[in-house]
Amino acid sequence: MAKELGVDIAQIQGTGPDGTITSEDVQAAANAKRGAAAAAAVVPTAAHEPLSQLARLMAERTTQSWTSVPHFFLVQSVDAGALIDAQKKLSQGSAVGTTPTITDLLIKVLARVLEKHPRMNASWVGDGVRLNPEINISVAMAVKDGVVGAVIPIANKQPIAALSVLRRELTERARAGRLRPADISGGTFTLSNLGMYKVGAFTAIITPPQCAILAVGAIADAVVPVDGKPGIRPMMTMTLSSDHRVVDGARAAEFLGELAGAIREPEKWL
């Protein structure tokens, strides 16, 4: 019976007198075998999505950064009302395609503040710190298979109109998958702005050998103290991720504080 039902009799525990294997034991073993086979047949096969070369590279680099770079994070909210006003003012009379966005203004202000904080623009080079002679802002841009950092070279010296045009060109090339190696090389500090996705705040992973990345959330109305009374102001949350091998908490805090001050008075820096 065991042979006919395809059951290995050596694997059956008998329930008859003195452990005798009965026909019921054989039938039970056969039923259990069929049940296991049926269960295995209905288990869905896990889907496997192969990664593109860009996605694999991103996975490797972010894993390496997160596991090897000693990150620490500082968070600060800032009144972005003056930044909005500056963007509207600059938009008046701007030629088509040159109207600066909030991101453009942030790039410019960030680059100018970095002039006063060269250590935040430095790189970890394995056995020490390299102070980069240029301020090249890498802007995180979403593409089909992940995120790339398109670089605005010498952003601190670029006129805001030219900076805006270049940032738009890089965005278009990124979306079309036509970024050139030069477009993503030489970044010294990264800006990641997810405000357009209505994200309130987030933390970002540093792109080595850079020592910092600034994550910017959406500008949203919030109740805050205004001249000692509750008021509604457009607030923006910034999260600074820093490499503790290059900068300490005090240096990073001074930089973030001055950046917040510049955003509150952007025209002095633009």
Side-chain angles (χ1 to χ4, degrees):
M1 183 178 178
K3 184 177 181 180
E4 290 175 357
L5 295 177
V7 176
D8 183 0
I9 201 167
Q11 303 299 319
I12 300 175
Q13 183 68 41
T15 61
D18 299 323
T20 301
I21 297 174
T22 67
S23 59
E24 288 81 4
D25 296 332
V26 175
Q27 187 64 59
N31 292 342
K33 183 178 180 180
R34 284 197 296 270
V42 299
V43 174
T45 303
H48 178 70
E49 181 180 344
L51 296 178
S52 67
Q53 183 176 357
L54 174 61
R56 285 197 302 270
L57 184 61
M58 277 188 57
E60 293 170 0
R61 287 185 174 178
T62 51
T63 300
Q64 179 184 15
S65 175
W66 186 248
T67 56
S68 64
V69 176
H71 288 64
F72 71 94
F73 310 97
L74 301 178
V75 181
Q76 185 163 345
S77 293
V78 60
D79 187 332
L83 193 69
I84 295 173
D85 292 341
Q87 191 270 335
K88 291 179 180 178
K89 184 177 180 180
L90 289 169
S91 298
Q92 296 175 357
S94 297
V96 177
T98 63
T99 302
T101 64
I102 292 294
T103 296
D104 296 331
L105 269 62
L106 285 172
I107 294 170
K108 181 66 175 182
V109 171
L110 172 61
R112 290 294 313 283
V113 175
L114 282 170
E115 291 177 343
K116 299 181 65 177
H117 298 266
R119 192 76 171 206
M120 296 300 304
N121 191 57
S123 299
W124 178 256
V125 291
D127 58 352
V129 176
R130 180 183 68 219
L131 297 177
N132 295 304
E134 297 179 346
I135 297 175
N136 303 325
I137 303 299
S138 180
V139 184
M141 297 182 178
V143 293
K144 180 181 178 180
D145 294 318
V147 178
V148 295
V151 177
I152 307 291
I154 320 178
N156 55 317
K157 297 180 180 178
Q158 295 253 23
I160 188 66
L163 187 154
S164 180
V165 170
L166 176 56
R167 198 267 314 154
R168 278 182 166 82
E169 292 175 351
L170 290 170
T171 300
E172 291 173 2
R173 288 207 289 271
R175 289 172 178 170
R178 294 186 290 105
L179 283 172
R180 301 166 297 199
D183 294 334
I184 57 175
S185 302
T188 59
F189 189 106
T190 295
L191 171 68
S192 181
N193 184 2
L194 292 181
M196 65 288 294
Y197 297 104
K198 308 303 180 184
V199 173
F202 67 105
T203 56
I205 299 175
I206 296 168
T207 304
Q210 298 172 27
C211 77
I213 180 171
L214 184 72
V216 178
I219 298 174
D221 287 343
V223 178
V224 296
V226 179
D227 297 328
K229 298 179 181 179
I232 298 177
R233 297 296 301 162
M235 303 299 292
M236 180 178 70
T237 300
M238 305 182 294
T239 304
L240 178 66
S241 307
S242 302
D243 184 341
H244 218 312
R245 297 171 301 184
V246 181
V247 294
D248 55 27
R251 285 178 185 266
E254 289 175 359
F255 164 75
L256 189 59
E258 186 153 7
L259 178 61
I263 289 172
R264 286 189 288 265
E265 298 180 292
E267 293 192 18
K268 292 182 178 181
W269 299 81
L270 294 174

